Amino acid sequence: MKKTTQFLLMAVAMLFTTAIIAQSTITGTVIDSELNTPLPGANVVEKGTSNGVSTDFDGNFKLTTQATAGEIAISYVGYGTVTVAFNGSANLGNITIKPDNSLEEIVIIGSGVIDLAEDRKTPIAVSTIKANRIQEKAGNSDLPELLKSTPSVHTTQRGGFGDGQMFLRGFDQTNTAFLLNGQPINGAEDGKMYWSNWSGVLDVAQAVQVQRGLGSSKLAISSVGGTVNIVTKTIDKKEGGFIQQMIGNDGYTKTSASYSTGMSEKGFAFTALLGHWRGDGYVDHTEGQGQTYFLSFGYKVNDNHVLNLMLTGAPQWHAAAGSADLIDFLEEDRGRRYNSWNATNVDSPNNLASGVYPGGRNIYHKPVANINWDWNINDKSSLSTVLYGSLGRGAFVQSQFSSGVATYARGSNNNHNWYGLVSNYNNELNENLSFNVGADVRLYNGVHFRSVNEFFTVDSVSDSSIYNGGAYEVTKAYGGINPWNILFNTNDDHAQRLHPYYDYEEDINYLGVFGQIEYSKDKFSAFFQGSASTQSHVRTEYGNSSTEGKGEKSETVNNPGFNVKLGGAYNINVNNIVFLNTGYYSRQPYHSDLFIDDRGSNQLNPLSDENQKITGIEAGYKYIGEKISANLNLYYTIWDNRIDYDSEDTDDDNIADVFYSTSPIKQVHMGGELELFARPTDNLELQGFLSVGNWEYDGDVTLIKTVEGGGAPVEVGTSYIDGAKVGNAAQFTAGIGAKYEILPRFKVDANWNQFDKLYGNANYGGSEFSNPDNRGSIELPSFDTVDLGLSYKWLLGKNDQNSLQFRLNVNNLFDEVYLEYSDENKHVEAGDESWKGVNVENRVRFGYGRTWNFSLRYNF
C-alpha cells in the first residue's frame, strides 16, 4: 500500500512538472498601424484554446501559454487579426495590426444596446464605414452620400443642405431604421429623417454600419429595407484632439475643434467637439449655416461599472430647393442649379429674405442627451442601459405677400419633446448558449402650429378665422431665423399663433420588449429574435376647438405589434461561411396614417386600423481570405397591407373635408448583392460591389373617398399599378473603389459608381395609372459618377505622436449631368418634347455637378 501511495504521488508530481515545463510566457506590445501608438484592449489568444488576455493601456500583454510552441492570434474590433508563431518563452516586441472594414474602435459605452453585426455569430448583410473613412469622405455632404458606395444604397441630394435622402433595397427612409447609439431617431409621427437636423453627426461618428434587410437589431423598428447604426464617440482612453479647417465649392467653409482628456487614474474622462459651417449651396439661393456641439462626460467607477453622459446638437438653417418641370431647367439656359422656389423684392433687416429669397428656409435645433450605464455583473452576464431625451424646436419659414410685397415671414413649427429608455440584459449560459432580454420605452409629444417669425412691412397680422369664438390679431414674432432663438423663444401662446386650423399636438407612447437566444457550437450557429410592442396615439386639436384654451382630444388609439427573426450559419471552414435568415414583422401604422388631416380635424382614417405585414428571407455566403474577402447576399421581401391617403379642401375654409385612401398596397422587392474587398499589396486596397434588384408593385389598388365626419367609404376608381416599378432608387448599381499609398502616408483614392434602372415615382393617385393600358413607370437615363480623393499625413512632434493631415475630395469629377429623380411618369408620346428620352413635362430635380472640398487637420 505504501509503495502504491508513493507511486501515485510520484506520478502526480511528474504530471505537474510536465505541465509547468509545457507552458511558455509570451510578452509583447500591440501597435496601431495608422496612429503608430499602443493599442489598449486588444485580445491576445492562444490559437486552438480559450486561453487569452487583453493588452493594458500601454498596449502590453503577458500570456502564459498551455503549450511550448504554437501560435497566438491578436485581434481588435475594427482591425484585422494578426497571427504570430512562438516557440518557447519570448518577447515578441512590437506587433502592428491594421484597420479592416469594420469598426474603428471598441465601443465601450452602451455596447449592450447598440446592435452591431459583430455582436452575433450568425452573419447578416452588412457594410461598415470606419471613422477614418468618415473623416476623409464626409466633407460637406450629408450622411446618405457617404453610403452611396455600398450595395443596394441609392442617395439623392434634393438641392439644399441637409435635404438628402437615402433608399435601401428600394425602400425610402421611413422604412429604414436609423439608430444613434442604440436609440431610434426616425420621426415618431411618420418615420421620416431630416438630415439637416443631424448635420453634425458625422463630426462625432465613430462608425456607421448599414445592415441591409433583416439586420441584427432586436428592437421593433421600421427596418423593412434595413437598419443604419450610427455610433458616436464616448470615452476616449487617450488624451488628444484636433483642429480642422475645411473649404469647398460655392463658398463653403467649416471649422471644427475637439479635445479629449483621456481617462484619468481615477476613471474620469471628458471629450468636447465644437464646429461651425456656412455655405451658399450648389443650387441657386440655397445658402445655409449651422453649428455642431458634442460633449461627453465619462466615469469608470470600477472594472464593473462605466457611466457616460452625452449631449450633442446641430442647430442650423438652410434654404430649400424646389423641383420643377424638366422644361423649366432647359429653358433660358437655367441649368441644373435652377431653384424653382424664388421670391424677389423682399427686404429683411435680419437677412431672412434679402434680395432674392427662395420659397422657404428650414430652421431647426434638436439637442439630444443620453446617459449610458454599462454594468458587468460577472464573467457571464452584463446589463446595458441608455436613458435619452431630445427637444426639437424649429420651423419651415416662408415669406408671405400682399399685392406683390412681402409682409411677414410665416413659420410652420414642428416641435417635439421625446424621451426614451433602452435596456438590455445579456447572459452567457454556457460556452454554446447565450441569451439577452430588454425593454424599449418611448414617450413622444409633438407640437405643430404656425406663427410669425419676423415682420417685414407690417406690425401685426389679422386673421378673420374663428378662434375659440372670435377673430384675433397676432402682434408678436418668435424665433426669427436663428435656431438658438427658436429653441429658447418658443411660442406657447395659442392666441399668438396663425391660422387656427393649424394648431394641434399629438402624444405617442410606446412600450416594447425584446429578446434573443443564440446557439453556437463548432461550425454551426443559430439565433432566434422576437419583440412585442404596443403604442398609443392621442391627437389634441386647438385651432378648431370649441373648448377655449384647452383643446379637444381625440379618442385613444392603441396598436399592438411584433416581429420575429431566426436564422443559422455554417462555417464550412475558417474561410467560408453560409447563412440563412428569415423574419416577419407586424408593424403598426404611423401616427400620420391614423389621423388623416393635420389642419383642424381629429378624424381617423377608417382604413388604417390594421398593421402592415412585412416578410423577409435572405441567404448569404462570406469568404474571408488573407488577400481577398467577399460577401454574396440574396433577398426576397414582401411589404403588404399598406394604406396611403391624400386629402382635398372643397370649400374656402382651408380645412380638408374629403379624404382619398387606397385599398391595401403590396410591394415585392427581390435581388442580389456582391461585395468584394482585396489587398493585393500592402500599399493597395480594392473594393467593389454589384447590386441587382427587381422592385415592383404587386396588384392594382382601389381609390376610396371618405367624407369628413364619417360615412361609408366610396370607391372612386382604380389605380393600375400592378407590375409598375418602384421609383426613386436605381435597381441596378455597381461600383469600384481603390486606395493606393504612393509614398508613406500619401494616398490617392477613387470611386466609380454606375446607376441604372432608375424609375419615376409611381404616384398611384395620378392620372398616369388610371388607364389599364398604361405603360408603367418611366425609366430615367442611366448615369455614372467618379469621385477622387488625395490625402497626406505629416508626422510631427516627439515620437511622431502629432500629425498634420491634408485632404482633397472632388466629387463627380467629370461633371456628369443626370436626373436624380422624377415625381411623375409622363411617357413620351407622339409630338412630345423630350430630353434623353424623358418627357420634359415631368417634375424632376437634377443631381449635383462637380463639387469639391479641401481640409487641413492638426491632430495632437
Side-chain angles (χ1 to χ4, degrees):
M1 181 68 182
K2 183 177 180 180
K3 290 184 178 180
T4 302
T5 302
Q6 290 176 339
F7 174 79
L8 291 174
L9 290 172
M10 181 68 71
V12 170
M14 291 178 64
L15 289 172
F16 183 71
T17 303
T18 301
I20 295 176
I21 294 174
Q23 293 178 340
S24 297
T25 300
I26 308 299
T27 59
T29 302
V30 179
I31 301 296
D32 179 333
S33 66
E34 293 210 342
L35 298 178
N36 194 32
T37 57
L39 195 61
N43 297 313
V44 183
V45 178
E46 182 180 0
K47 292 196 69 174
T49 74
S50 59
N51 177 37
V53 295
S54 296
T55 57
D56 62 20
F57 276 92
D58 296 318
N60 299 319
F61 69 89
K62 181 179 180 180
L63 174 66
T64 301
T65 66
Q66 298 176 0
T68 57
E71 293 180 326
I72 60 170
I74 301 164
S75 62
Y76 191 81
V77 177
Y79 288 72
T81 299
V82 172
T83 301
V84 181
F86 68 90
N87 190 355
S89 297
N91 183 348
L92 301 178
N94 290 344
I95 304 170
T96 301
I97 63 175
K98 296 182 177 181
D100 63 11
N101 294 298
S102 59
L103 298 184
E104 177 78 5
E105 302 170 353
I106 286 180
V107 180
I108 63 171
I109 294 296
S111 56
V113 298
I114 303 175
D115 292 313
L116 298 173
E118 286 82 357
D119 296 335
R120 198 177 71 197
K121 296 180 181 178
T122 303
I124 58 173
V126 63
S127 299
T128 304
I129 314 297
K130 305 176 300 177
N132 60 349
R133 180 170 175 81
I134 294 172
Q135 175 189 321
E136 288 178 347
K137 300 292 289 184
N140 49 2
S141 301
D142 300 329
L143 183 140
E145 270 303 285
L146 184 70
L147 306 178
K148 69 179 182 182
S149 292
T150 55
S152 292
V153 170
H154 183 88
T155 65
T156 57
Q157 294 163 312
R158 300 276 164 165
F161 286 110
D163 289 338
Q165 292 191 27
M166 169 184 158
F167 300 83
L168 186 53
R169 287 185 174 174
F171 296 100
D172 66 13
Q173 294 178 153
T174 65
N175 299 293
T176 298
F178 293 88
L179 304 175
L180 179 68
N181 293 335
Q183 71 183 66
I185 59 174
N186 291 75
E189 302 166 28
D190 51 19
K192 293 181 179 179
M193 285 293 299
Y194 299 94
W195 291 110
S196 56
N197 302 341
W198 303 97
S199 59
V201 72
L202 293 180
D203 293 328
V204 299
Q206 180 172 291
V208 177
Q209 188 174 85
V210 182
Q211 300 175 5
R212 299 182 293 278
L214 296 170
S216 66
S217 176
K218 298 179 285 291
L219 304 183
I221 47 180
S222 55
S223 52
V224 184
T227 305
V228 177
N229 282 281
I230 305 166
V231 182
T232 70
K233 295 176 178 292
T234 49
I235 294 178
D236 283 338
K237 293 182 177 180
K238 295 175 291 186
E239 180 183 8
F242 71 85
I243 300 173
Q244 177 173 292
Q245 179 62 51
M246 179 183 294
I247 58 174
N249 57 280
D250 300 291
Y252 184 84
T253 179
K254 180 178 181 179
T255 305
S256 305
S258 177
Y259 174 70
S260 298
T261 63
M263 188 178 294
S264 69
E265 293 181 359
K266 295 184 178 180
F268 291 98
F270 172 70
T271 298
L273 181 144
L274 299 174
H276 176 83
W277 66 270
R278 70 156 308 278
D280 297 329
Y282 179 83
V283 174
D284 294 340
H285 315 301
T286 53
E287 68 277 7
Q289 69 176 34
Q291 296 83 42
T292 301
Y293 57 88
F294 173 83
L295 304 172
S296 177
F297 303 86
Y299 177 44
K300 184 176 182 180
V301 182
N302 50 44
D303 289 340
N304 297 324
H305 297 275
V306 180
L307 302 172
N308 193 81
L309 170 64
M310 184 195 75
L311 173 67
T312 186
Q316 60 80 42
W317 65 261
H318 73 277
S323 58
D325 288 351
L326 177 53
I327 188 66
D328 293 331
F329 288 93
L330 302 177
E331 287 182 342
E332 301 178 14
D333 296 323
R334 286 172 173 154
R336 53 189 156 174
R337 291 178 180 261
Y338 170 62
N339 188 352
S340 61
W341 276 10
N342 286 337
T344 59
N345 302 319
V346 179
D347 183 19
S348 164
N350 293 329
N351 198 33
L352 176 66
S354 60
V356 179
Y357 175 60
R361 285 192 180 186
N362 176 292
I363 306 165
Y364 218 83
H365 191 175
K366 183 185 176 74
V368 178
N370 62 45
I371 300 175
N372 288 274
W373 172 35
D374 279 356
W375 177 19
N376 290 322
I377 301 172
N378 52 47
D379 292 341
K380 298 293 184 180
S381 61
S382 62
L383 177 70
S384 290
T385 303
V386 55
L387 175 67
Y388 63 88
S390 70
L391 302 177
R393 301 291 185 267
F396 188 74
V397 182
Q398 295 176 288
S399 299
Q400 302 299 299
F401 294 84
S402 177
S403 301
V405 177
T407 55
Y408 70 97
R410 185 191 72 189
S412 297
N413 294 264
N414 295 290
N415 300 342
H416 73 248
N417 308 292
W418 189 347
Y419 309 97
L421 173 75
V422 181
S423 186
N424 183 69
Y425 171 77
N426 184 75
N427 191 299
E428 295 183 12
L429 298 174
N430 54 50
E431 62 180 6
N432 303 123
L433 191 64
S434 65
F435 82 95
N436 60 65
V437 294
D440 176 14
V441 180
R442 307 171 211 168
L443 308 175
Y444 179 89
N445 167 242
V447 183
H448 308 275
F449 60 91
R450 284 179 177 158
S451 63
V452 174
N453 279 60
E454 182 182 358
F455 290 109
F456 296 152
T457 59
V458 297
D459 297 322
S460 65
V461 177
S462 300
D463 199 307
S464 59
S465 302
I466 301 302
Y467 178 77
N468 292 333
Y472 68 100
E473 187 174 35
V474 173
T475 59
K476 298 180 181 179
Y478 293 84
I481 64 165
N482 189 320
W484 291 93
N485 287 344
I486 283 185
L487 179 67
F488 296 108
N489 187 22
T490 302
N491 183 355
D492 296 322
D493 185 355
H494 292 282
Q496 288 295 312
R497 294 179 177 179
L498 289 168
H499 303 288
Y501 57 81
Y502 191 86
D503 185 3
Y504 67 98
E505 295 186 17
E506 70 258 319
D507 292 285
I508 306 170
N509 296 329
Y510 175 98
L511 173 62
V513 292
F514 57 84
Q516 172 181 283
I517 186 166
E518 183 172 21
Y519 174 80
S520 177
K521 185 175 182 180
D522 298 328
K523 297 182 177 182
F524 177 75
S525 66
F527 78 95
F528 173 81
Q529 287 181 3
S531 69
S533 62
T534 181
Q535 61 184 21
S536 65
H537 304 259
V538 175
R539 186 184 188 279
T540 303
E541 173 62 33
Y542 290 98
N544 267 347
S545 171
S546 59
T547 305
E548 184 174 353
K550 294 184 179 180
E552 294 180 354
K553 290 184 179 295
S554 71
E555 62 179 279
T556 300
V557 180
N558 294 293
N559 296 109
F562 70 92
N563 66 47
V564 291
K565 292 187 283 189
L566 68 156
Y570 181 74
N571 291 34
I572 301 172
N573 52 43
V574 69
N575 300 112
N576 298 274
I577 306 171
V578 292
F579 63 90
L580 177 68
N581 300 322
T582 186
Y584 178 82
Y585 292 68
S586 177
R587 192 180 82 175
Q588 300 103 322
Y590 286 118
H591 183 92
S592 59
D593 297 326
L594 295 171
F595 294 91
I596 55 181
D597 180 36
D598 61 3
R599 297 180 301 170
S601 171
N602 286 337
Q603 183 177 353
L604 287 168
N605 184 345
L607 301 176
S608 64
D609 56 349
E610 293 187 11
N611 286 0
Q612 299 173 15
K613 302 173 183 177
I614 298 103
T615 304
I617 184 169
E618 52 195 30
Y621 164 73
K622 295 174 69 72
Y623 173 78
I624 305 172
E626 292 186 6
K627 296 291 185 180
I628 188 171
S629 61
N631 302 316
L632 175 65
N633 302 290
L634 304 174
Y635 64 90
Y636 185 86
T637 304
I638 300 173
W639 183 21
D640 200 2
N641 209 47
R642 178 169 65 96
I643 305 295
D644 208 347
Y645 73 95
D646 199 356
S647 59
E648 179 183 350
D649 175 26
T650 60
D651 48 37
D652 60 357
D653 61 1
N654 290 315
I655 301 175
D657 49 15
V658 176
F659 307 102
Y660 295 94
S661 302
T662 67
S663 61
I665 302 168
K666 181 179 180 181
Q667 292 176 215
V668 177
H669 294 228
M670 66 179 75
E673 303 153 343
L674 175 64
E675 195 170 21
L676 297 169
F677 302 94
R679 190 189 289 267
T681 68
D682 289 341
N683 294 340
L684 178 63
E685 298 177 30
L686 300 174
Q687 176 182 350
F689 74 92
L690 174 68
S691 304
V692 180
N694 183 42
W695 314 325
E696 57 186 38
Y697 293 93
D698 185 358
D700 298 325
V701 299
T702 302
L703 303 179
I704 301 170
K705 180 174 74 172
T706 305
V707 178
E708 182 187 21
V714 179
E715 295 185 9
V716 295
T718 300
S719 181
Y720 297 95
I721 63 169
D722 183 36
K725 300 296 185 181
V726 175
N728 285 339
Q731 302 196 16
F732 176 93
T733 58
I736 299 173
K739 177 186 287 187
Y740 183 69
E741 188 171 22
I742 303 172
L743 297 170
R745 300 175 305 283
F746 178 44
K747 301 177 181 179
V748 58
D749 57 86
N751 289 87
W752 168 82
N753 289 321
Q754 170 74 29
F755 305 90
D756 198 5
K757 302 299 180 183
L758 174 61
Y759 298 92
N761 184 33
N763 179 13
Y764 33 82
S767 60
E768 300 98 314
F769 296 96
S770 61
N771 188 323
D773 297 323
N774 70 75
R775 296 161 60 183
S777 305
I778 64 170
E779 184 174 351
L780 303 181
S782 62
F783 62 94
D784 63 291
T785 60
V786 175
D787 300 335
L788 178 69
L790 291 169
S791 60
Y792 177 68
K793 180 188 290 186
W794 181 14
L795 300 180
L796 302 169
K798 184 179 180 181
N799 299 323
D800 295 334
Q801 295 296 303
N802 302 337
S803 64
L804 190 62
Q805 291 180 256
F806 304 84
R807 175 68 185 182
L808 172 66
N809 289 306
V810 182
N811 299 319
N812 195 1
L813 177 65
F814 299 110
D815 206 26
E816 177 87 353
V817 178
Y818 63 94
L819 295 174
E820 65 174 13
Y821 70 86
S822 173
D823 282 332
E824 297 175 309
N825 288 279
K826 297 175 181 176
H827 290 267
V828 178
E829 308 293 350
D832 289 342
E833 183 180 351
S834 65
W835 179 84
K836 293 188 176 182
V838 178
N839 190 319
V840 297
E841 299 300 323
N842 283 291
R843 196 162 186 83
V844 301
R845 178 84 244 166
F846 279 89
Y848 286 5
R850 184 186 300 112
T851 60
W852 63 273
N853 59 78
F854 175 78
S855 63
L856 182 64
R857 178 182 176 117
Y858 177 65
N859 300 293
F860 59 90

